[in-house]
């Protein structure tokens, strides 16, 4: 075998451009996981990606555009994972566990978006609502079926979902108080599902 | 992961039943289809999305309507719609 065949060919220009863009997104995600979205500086992204500061703006016209890309990736990853795990007609506990699993894989970055989202631009609100809407879609389907079957108590759907999401978000925000080391949803998510189902399940003889 | 999404509302289209009339050739989802299989109009989709946000997330109706407008503007079917 010729020695030349073991030397990788340099990427062509379009491929190099795609690879550089992806490297910027990956480094931005890495930095956001450690310090959140608000404190991210493009100079730090450039340094982490071993590029000039100006090179960042070749691919992303503004700091906002770069952060939106990372937040959008996060949103898509969570909703993709949720759809992967939930079959049509899945029972409510299964959907809740799938929600936890989808968040647990990206808990740190999700926690930053949860805490900082209201302080970020309206574009981040769209990502946030996209994620919550996917969650609401699956929980809503399962909850309606359970109410129709009488396995959970009838209640206003938005309040049922808000109660569940509220529990999850409380654990995410306060995870440093709840676990010795990250992440909290993998370690203690089971008790959330158990508690929530106890809240919504009818109790015999109690009106 | 690669998959298509409804050009109307963005719902992932992963399997035939997700598509309108169960037809993978259709680029919109079952929720965005009328009973005859045709795609719903912008107003119908907007009303449906608004109602969904109110019913599942308890949003104030006018906020939900505004959010639906913004979300639909990002979808291929409605990118040129001025509202």
């Amino acid at each position: 075998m010729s020695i030349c065949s073991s030397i990788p060919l340099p990427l062509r220009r379009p491929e190099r451009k795609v690879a550089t863009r992806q490297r910027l997104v990956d480094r931005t995600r890495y930095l956001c996981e450690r310090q959140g979205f608000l404190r991210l500086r493009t100079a730090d992204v450039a340094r982490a990606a071993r590029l000039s500061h100006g090179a960042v703006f070749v691919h992303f016209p503004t700091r906002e555009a770069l952060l939106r890309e990372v937040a959008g990736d996060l949103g898509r990853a969570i909703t993709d994972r949720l759809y992967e795990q939930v079959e049509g007609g899945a029972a409510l506990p299964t959907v809740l566990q799938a929600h936890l699993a989808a968040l647990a894989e990206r808990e740190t970055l999700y926690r930053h978006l949860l805490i900082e989202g209201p302080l970020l631009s309206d574009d981040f609100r769209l990502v946030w609502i996209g994620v919550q809407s996917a969650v609401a879609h699956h929980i809503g389907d399962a909850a309606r079926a359970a109410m129709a079957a009488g396995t959970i108590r009838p209640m206003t759907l938005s309040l049922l979902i808000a109660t569940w999401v509220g529990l999850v978000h409380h654990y995410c925000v306060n995870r440093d108080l709840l676990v010795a080391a990250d992440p909290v949803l993998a370690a203690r998510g089971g008790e959330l599902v158990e508690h929530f189902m106890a809240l919504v399940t009818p109790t015999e003889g109690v009106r | 992961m690669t998959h298509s999404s409804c050009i109307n509302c963005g719902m992932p289209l992963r399997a035939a039943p997700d598509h309108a009339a169960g037809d993978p050739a259709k680029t919109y989802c079952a929720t965005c289809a009328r009973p005859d299989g045709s795609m719903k109009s912008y107003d119908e989709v907007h009303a449906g999305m608004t109602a969904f946000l109110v019913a599942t997330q308890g949003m104030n109706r006018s906020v939900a309507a505004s959010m639906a407008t913004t979300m639909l503007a990002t979808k291929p079917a409605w990118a040129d719609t001025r509202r």
Side-chain angles (χ1 to χ4, degrees):
Chain A
M1 182 186 350
S2 158
I3 192 169
C4 296
S5 64
S6 64
I7 300 171
L9 292 173
L11 292 177
R12 290 175 301 169
R13 194 185 175 93
E15 291 166 343
R16 205 161 55 235
K17 191 170 179 179
V18 169
T20 300
R21 190 178 193 280
Q22 190 57 51
R23 187 156 93 239
L24 286 168
V25 172
D26 290 344
R27 293 293 89 195
T28 302
R29 182 184 307 113
Y30 173 86
L31 290 170
C32 287
E33 282 174 353
R34 275 143 191 80
Q35 65 193 32
F37 292 89
L38 286 172
R39 292 197 293 173
L40 184 93
R41 300 188 314 158
T42 49
D44 293 338
V45 174
R47 194 173 310 114
R50 297 175 189 260
L51 295 168
S52 68
H53 196 189
V56 175
F57 299 101
V58 168
H59 297 274
F60 296 95
T62 61
R63 173 181 168 276
E64 278 278 307
L66 181 52
L67 290 178
R68 265 199 314 272
E69 183 74 16
V70 171
D73 275 358
L74 173 65
R76 280 185 292 275
I78 291 172
T79 54
D80 279 357
R81 191 78 176 102
L82 185 56
Y83 275 108
E84 260 178 49
Q85 296 188 76
V86 179
E87 301 277 338
L92 184 56
T94 301
V95 176
L96 301 180
Q97 283 156 359
H99 179 211
L100 291 176
L103 294 186
E105 292 170 7
R106 293 155 191 88
E107 185 179 298
T108 301
L109 196 57
Y110 184 81
R111 180 174 178 267
H112 283 303
L113 190 60
L114 170 60
I115 293 170
E116 298 177 2
L119 305 174
L120 299 167
S121 73
D122 288 348
D123 286 343
F124 289 85
R125 232 23 174 164
L126 275 185
V127 172
W128 183 255
I129 289 174
V131 173
Q132 304 317 317
S133 293
V135 170
H137 168 77
H138 288 293
I139 294 180
D141 281 355
R144 281 192 210 95
M147 286 188 222
T151 54
I152 69 171
R153 292 184 288 114
M155 61 184 72
T156 303
L157 188 62
S158 61
L159 288 173
L160 178 148
I161 294 171
T163 301
W164 168 250
V165 170
L167 279 171
V168 173
H169 287 176
H170 170 74
Y171 268 43
C172 278
V173 169
N174 296 289
R175 70 179 184 180
D176 54 323
L177 304 177
L178 299 169
V179 288
D182 307 342
V184 67
L185 295 181
R188 299 186 64 169
E191 69 192 47
L192 289 181
V193 176
E194 195 179 324
H195 171 69
F196 182 79
M197 290 310 301
L199 285 177
V200 300
T201 300
T203 306
E204 287 290 333
V206 174
R207 294 281 177 262
Chain B
M1 162 173 300
T2 56
H3 57 74
S4 58
S5 303
C6 174
I7 60 168
N8 224 351
C9 69
M11 171 83 82
L13 301 172
R14 296 169 190 276
D18 295 334
H19 295 255
D23 180 0
K26 293 215 185 313
T27 55
Y28 48 100
C29 72
T31 306
C32 289
R34 295 187 179 122
D36 66 0
S38 61
M39 195 171 82
K40 288 180 180 174
S41 67
Y42 178 90
D43 288 339
E44 287 172 309
V45 175
H46 188 275
M49 190 174 282
T50 300
F52 171 82
L53 293 173
V54 171
T56 60
Q57 296 171 66
M59 270 192 209
N60 169 277
R61 185 161 291 276
S62 63
V63 171
S66 174
M67 221 28 94
T69 300
T70 305
M71 291 167 82
L72 288 179
T74 67
K75 301 298 174 278
W78 311 115
D80 293 330
T81 300
R82 300 283 182 264
R83 295 286 164 153

